[in-house]
Amino acid sequence: MTILIDQPDFGFNKADNVEEEIVVDVGFMVPQSNAFGHTFRDYDVESERQQGVENFYRTNHINQTYDFVKRMREEYGKLDKVEMSIWECCELLNDVVDESDPDLDEPQIEHLLQTAEAIRKDYPDEDWLHLTGLIHDLGKVLLHPSFGGLPQWAVVGDTYPVGCAFDESIYFEENPDYHNSAYNTKYGVYSKGCGLNNVMMSWGHDDYMYLVAKENNTTLPSAALFIIRYHSFYALHRSGSYKQLMNEEDVENLKWLQIFNKYDLYSKSKVRVDVEKVKPYYLSLIEKYFPAKLRW
């Protein structure tokens, strides 16, 4: 089922220049510091997590190959691990902390609700976007022992295409695909304008949750699925890399992702959300867009 949604007025872009402006053009106030008191996504700051984040990305960039991603999609695409509801999955994330994230040390459920509530305040009529904020990181259950407890480098962190040349801004020389002539050209195994839905992304929670939503026949619009799958694809929506692979639908959906990104990135703070107060609203959205139980 396809849902058509109106595109917002993009005479100005709500996601542009968020680094320069602390007060943005809508109600959400971008905080000046993250949960640690540092600037957002500052991987160079002297903190206890700096070395861990650096080691994480080195391991990630070495091991995320085309063949590895293909194996992971085949294995986890079976969706045979467990059956549970969306909200049950949200609660399961209470035990998960993303070690790749320099901005957050709270359980993931806190971030999900912070993101969703910030979006809800500024876009009250876009309930699909509220729910997308809530569920976008649910794929991090791959870290949980009941899902096999994948290592952090195979679940979290920035994502990027595999099967074509890696972005020059990122160090990948120790990745076997970097030296493979089948994968190290501009288009690699793809073609110009092939569409990102035909591109294999580095494996992690983004792609997994996209598969879960799609294969469980969600009625969320295509923009929501785009946000879920590419919200960690910073090389695209922050740097403009890999646009040669996009088609027209990707271009339109990217506008929504750029809006979403502000809330995903800058809502990480010590401000707590009253879970029980907002729970009935999100349960109603889950019922609207998803079956009662999903295959994971």
Side-chain angles (χ1 to χ4, degrees):
M1 177 178 179
T2 300
I3 296 178
L4 298 178
I5 55 177
D6 293 332
Q7 292 293 341
D9 181 2
F10 291 106
F12 57 89
N13 191 327
K14 293 183 176 69
D16 285 345
N17 302 319
V18 290
E19 292 87 351
E20 288 77 20
E21 298 184 29
I22 298 303
V23 181
V24 294
D25 54 281
V26 290
F28 176 59
M29 305 291 287
V30 176
Q32 299 186 48
S33 59
N34 61 21
F36 297 98
H38 302 132
T39 54
F40 285 91
R41 292 185 71 79
D42 187 351
Y43 295 103
D44 297 320
V45 69
E46 291 298 329
S47 70
E48 295 179 3
R49 304 188 77 185
Q50 176 189 0
Q51 191 61 48
V53 171
E54 290 176 353
N55 290 338
F56 162 85
Y57 274 106
R58 181 176 182 274
T59 305
N60 175 282
H61 293 167
I62 291 173
N63 290 288
Q64 289 275 2
T65 64
Y66 186 85
D67 288 342
F68 170 77
V69 171
K70 186 176 180 180
R71 291 197 307 272
M72 290 296 99
R73 288 195 113 228
E74 289 174 353
E75 170 62 24
Y76 285 92
K78 298 173 185 176
L79 303 181
D80 60 357
K81 306 303 177 188
V82 68
E83 285 193 4
M84 62 179 170
S85 69
I86 290 287
W87 192 262
E88 287 172 330
C89 188
C90 290
E91 293 178 331
L92 193 61
L93 285 191
N94 275 327
D95 300 328
V96 172
V97 173
D98 181 348
E99 294 179 0
S100 75
D101 192 337
D103 298 322
L104 188 70
D105 66 345
E106 300 290 343
Q108 291 298 310
I109 186 66
E110 295 285 332
H111 168 53
L112 299 180
L113 287 170
Q114 287 171 350
T115 303
E117 284 295 282
I119 294 171
R120 183 182 175 189
K121 180 179 179 181
D122 290 347
Y123 293 88
D125 298 327
E126 307 291 352
D127 67 354
W128 66 271
L129 194 57
H130 311 164
L131 183 58
T132 302
L134 179 71
I135 70 173
H136 74 283
D137 272 347
L138 291 189
K140 290 179 181 180
V141 292
L142 290 174
L143 295 168
H144 198 274
S146 61
F147 282 77
L150 287 178
Q152 290 265 338
W153 63 263
V155 179
V156 297
D158 294 6
T159 59
Y160 42 86
V162 295
C164 62
F166 296 117
D167 185 60
E168 294 179 356
S169 66
I170 309 173
Y171 181 80
F172 283 98
E173 290 188 16
E174 294 181 77
N175 186 305
D177 288 358
Y178 183 88
H179 305 283
N180 188 327
S181 60
Y183 304 138
N184 64 7
T185 61
K186 182 177 182 179
Y187 295 106
V189 298
Y190 312 115
S191 59
K192 183 177 180 180
C194 64
L196 292 178
N197 61 310
N198 294 309
V199 173
M200 294 247 280
M201 300 294 294
S202 56
W203 176 250
H205 71 280
D206 311 60
D207 204 20
Y208 178 59
M209 188 58 208
Y210 164 77
L211 291 174
V212 169
K214 182 172 177 284
E215 296 305 317
N216 280 281
N217 300 314
T218 181
T219 55
L220 284 169
S222 65
L225 294 176
F226 190 91
I227 289 169
I228 291 168
R229 192 179 190 214
Y230 305 112
H231 69 271
S232 301
F233 189 6
Y234 285 95
L236 172 65
H237 54 78
R238 296 298 296 276
S239 304
S241 303
Y242 299 104
K243 285 188 174 181
Q244 70 272 15
L245 301 175
M246 296 172 66
N247 60 23
E248 292 183 5
E249 184 178 16
D250 294 331
V251 172
E252 291 303 307
N253 286 336
L254 179 59
K255 297 172 184 177
W256 280 108
L257 176 55
Q258 289 172 327
I259 288 174
F260 175 86
N261 178 248
K262 177 188 68 177
Y263 299 94
D264 182 25
L265 180 58
Y266 296 103
S267 64
K268 300 168 186 175
S269 68
K270 291 296 184 182
V271 177
R272 307 301 292 269
V273 175
D274 187 336
V275 177
E276 292 307 311
K277 182 179 179 180
V278 302
K279 181 178 178 179
Y281 174 69
Y282 289 102
L283 287 178
S284 72
L285 297 188
I286 292 168
E287 183 179 1
K288 178 179 179 179
Y289 290 106
F290 281 96
K293 293 286 186 179
L294 284 72
R295 294 176 295 111
W296 299 79

